[in-house]
Amino acid sequence: MSQAATPRPTAESAQTDSPADLRTLLSAIRSGPQGPEIAAVFDFGGAVVDGFARPPLYRRALRGRGSGSLSATLLGGIRNGLTDGEYSRFLQQASYALAGRTEDELDELGERLFRRAIYGHLFPEAWQLIRTHEAAGHTVVLTSSLTRFQVAPAAAALGVAHVLCTAMATSDGVLSGYAEGKTLWRHGKADAVRSFAAANGIDLSRSYAYSDGVADVPLLALVGHPVAVNPERKLAAMATGNAWPSVAFRPRRAPRPRDYLRTIAGFAALVGGAVFGVLAKAYTGQRRKMADALMAYGTGATLRALGVRIRVTGAEHARSPRPAVFLFNHQSQFDVIIVPNVLGGAVTGIGKKELTRNPLFGPLMRFVGVTFIDRSDTHRAKATLAPVVETLRGGLSIAVSPEGTRSYTPEVGPFKKGAFHIAHQAGVPVIPVVIRNAGEISWRNSMIARRGTVDVAILAPIDVRDWDPAAMSEQVEGVRELYLETLLNWPDDAVSEVEHTARHTD
């Protein structure tokens, strides 16, 4: 691990490859001391989420006291390398904006802000570190000088149970606008961590702390393994002087005008490529060949227009055995472009009924034979899936997300059993398709795509023919664990880059 301070990366220079120093840090955690007496303390702003940019002066001047102003205050307080002056201004703004609000109202607002904006700023590298510390049995703590309304929803999404933040004074559930007791700023944060350690049997001399700002030097100096994350200039200098390691996380930037233009070009390329593919095979009169050509030309043209590369490990499992049920983890709306491009032809899918209303994806998915299910009606969904078994027995593979919905973090959500039952009834294997970085190319609730690289690992087939349909929960969870293990320990062997050209079976 490099001991030199790493300069804060820029959006232009950021790549989707994990930095070498992060891999070294992860390896050291795995091979180091284990157990709950070791803590991993993450500062929220800058080490877990990429902070929000300060809004222009004219927008700050126009703020009132409405919900928009309150949202702007809460989001605006989440900054990288927060300074003394910036934190003081946040407390003043928070005192004005939060006074008279109920805790329930603010808890609900915090959840909405997370689902609307904060989730997109979560560092995937932070998730990877948190999960690696948890696998080592460490006690993970999220700490912040901000309020619980800004921090708690992200902590819940990341599965972090211990949260230390600045408490706000209340009376009968209504906020006064003032902090209750000492704020968790500078030494206040270090004192809170010290108290938590004493109460929970934590050995700070063997613990870890991650932060990006010089205000957290007291916290970093408290532990045996301090790590500067994307350190600002003063912290970078102190990290160098104290031989503290630094690690670089890729910035989580909002879409820029060029991304919007590139996305529009991508959609146009999808339509153009799909039409070309259908026409190219129209002479055969065979819908399946036209559908395969639609997917090959359409997805290839889209990825080229977007500037998205796909790197695949285990590509041989995409070709054999067939037919199979391909299971992919779901983070991005562009997964419907990535998966068929990787798997090639002779694959259709299962999608949620809501996709039929998408003016672009809906018609294309219907043409290639996707089965749509109503997730709100379990009985009807099961009846709808019955013909899929015959589809598999007829030689056509199926691609489906067992999570059922996109996740807000790189975490793999609980698996539904429907795809496993289908594979069992059809007598075909399930093949895990693990996608990494798709949520960075396009955020969960966004149709805007950025340039970059998506990594895909296709794992070995899993034979489910001997599974007991009435008692497969443990086995299904075991498959889900394969995804988490792959995301945390990405395979580096046999990597191939998918060429975005038409691939079809004559």
Side-chain angles (χ1 to χ4, degrees):
M1 186 187 308
S2 171
Q3 299 296 325
T6 305
R8 187 182 296 272
T10 65
E12 292 294 332
S13 65
Q15 302 295 323
T16 54
D17 298 326
S18 294
D21 53 359
L22 176 62
R23 289 195 294 268
T24 304
L25 178 57
L26 292 169
S27 178
I29 295 168
R30 295 186 187 109
S31 61
Q34 316 280 296
E37 69 278 5
I38 298 172
V41 182
F42 290 82
D43 185 53
F44 179 66
V48 172
V49 298
D50 197 358
F52 291 83
R54 187 173 177 81
L57 180 61
Y58 75 90
R59 289 181 60 184
R60 301 199 300 272
L62 292 175
R63 285 180 186 169
R65 186 174 158 74
S67 60
S69 173
L70 177 57
S71 297
T73 297
L74 294 178
L75 291 178
I78 305 173
R79 303 283 300 279
N80 295 337
L82 207 62
T83 66
D84 291 331
E86 288 171 338
Y87 184 61
S88 177
R89 284 191 292 273
F90 164 73
L91 288 179
Q92 292 174 0
Q93 293 166 358
S95 175
Y96 177 73
L98 300 180
R101 309 276 186 174
T102 67
E103 290 183 285
D104 289 343
E105 174 189 2
L106 293 171
D107 284 332
E108 292 176 5
L109 176 60
E111 290 286 349
R112 290 200 302 272
L113 291 178
F114 174 77
R115 292 192 297 267
R116 190 187 82 197
I118 296 174
Y119 82 93
H121 286 247
L122 287 172
F123 285 119
E125 298 92 339
W127 173 84
Q128 195 172 6
L129 280 165
I130 288 170
R131 288 292 170 268
T132 302
H133 278 293
E134 287 179 341
H138 298 167
T139 300
V140 178
V141 182
L142 192 60
T143 184
S144 177
S145 57
L146 304 177
T147 69
R148 82 161 192 259
F149 314 114
Q150 297 155 290
V151 180
L158 291 167
V160 177
H162 305 291
V163 180
L164 305 176
C165 53
T166 296
M168 304 302 292
T170 63
S171 176
D172 295 326
V174 178
L175 274 71
S176 68
Y178 298 101
E180 181 176 3
K182 193 174 184 180
T183 63
L184 269 64
W185 181 249
R186 287 192 178 271
H187 288 282
K189 187 179 296 180
D191 291 342
V193 170
R194 189 181 290 109
S195 297
F196 176 87
N200 291 274
I202 301 295
D203 182 355
L204 290 174
S205 68
R206 296 195 295 160
S207 294
Y208 298 75
Y210 300 85
S211 181
D212 75 321
V214 70
D216 283 334
V217 167
L219 169 64
L220 294 172
L222 195 64
V223 299
H225 301 284
V227 180
V229 177
N230 293 351
E232 45 82 26
R233 181 176 54 83
K234 290 183 179 179
L235 180 58
M238 296 193 70
T240 301
N242 289 284
W244 293 344
S246 297
V247 64
F249 290 175
R250 296 177 295 274
R252 303 286 289 172
R253 60 174 177 79
R256 296 169 296 181
R258 72 184 69 174
D259 298 316
Y260 286 90
L261 294 174
R262 193 179 292 118
T263 301
I264 293 172
F267 288 141
L270 174 60
V271 174
V275 171
F276 179 83
V278 171
L279 294 177
K281 289 297 176 180
Y283 73 92
T284 67
Q286 298 181 37
R287 186 184 182 94
R288 187 67 253 160
K289 288 189 174 182
M290 288 187 283
D292 287 347
L294 178 157
M295 289 191 290
Y297 284 102
T299 61
T302 303
L303 293 168
R304 284 196 301 273
L306 295 175
V308 174
R309 296 187 307 142
I310 299 180
R311 293 183 306 200
V312 181
T313 62
E316 67 277 9
H317 299 311
R319 299 183 291 271
S320 179
R322 291 289 190 102
V325 175
F326 291 95
L327 308 176
F328 64 93
N329 56 312
H330 200 11
Q331 280 201 319
S332 162
Q333 299 203 49
F334 283 88
D335 292 343
V336 297
I337 300 295
I338 296 165
V339 172
N341 187 263
V342 169
L343 298 182
V347 179
T348 185
I350 301 172
K352 58 186 179 181
K353 183 180 178 181
E354 293 89 331
L355 285 171
T356 61
R357 296 194 293 268
N358 187 297
L360 181 59
F361 291 137
L364 296 178
M365 294 172 77
R366 280 193 292 267
F367 188 89
V368 301
V370 170
T371 300
F372 296 99
I373 61 173
D374 184 355
R375 296 181 299 176
S376 64
D377 189 332
T378 303
H379 179 73
R380 182 178 297 177
K382 289 181 178 179
T384 304
L385 290 176
V388 177
V389 175
E390 295 305 317
T391 297
L392 286 161
R393 288 173 177 167
L396 193 62
S397 294
I398 298 292
V400 61
S401 169
E403 296 169 280
T405 189
R406 299 183 301 278
S407 56
Y408 283 98
T409 75
E411 184 73 22
V412 180
F415 279 5
K416 300 179 184 298
K417 301 185 183 71
F420 297 91
H421 283 292
I422 291 170
H424 179 269
Q425 293 174 37
V428 302
V430 298
I431 300 180
V433 178
V434 187
I435 304 174
R436 181 175 73 165
N437 303 333
E440 299 177 57
I441 298 299
S442 177
W443 293 355
R444 181 191 188 276
N445 296 331
S446 174
M447 289 294 292
I448 307 304
R450 303 158 181 78
R451 297 184 65 178
T453 300
V454 175
D455 292 316
V456 179
I458 307 175
L459 308 186
I462 300 171
D463 189 347
V464 300
R465 288 175 297 180
D466 294 332
W467 289 16
D468 181 357
M472 60 169 59
S473 296
E474 185 174 338
Q475 291 157 309
V476 169
E477 179 59 23
V479 175
R480 177 180 171 273
E481 291 293 334
L482 286 176
Y483 285 75
L484 293 172
E485 178 63 24
T486 302
L487 288 169
L488 292 175
N489 301 277
W490 194 259
D492 293 324
D493 56 324
V495 177
S496 62
E497 184 172 336
V498 172
E499 294 292 338
H500 304 317
T501 56
R503 296 174 298 164
H504 53 269
T505 302
D506 293 325

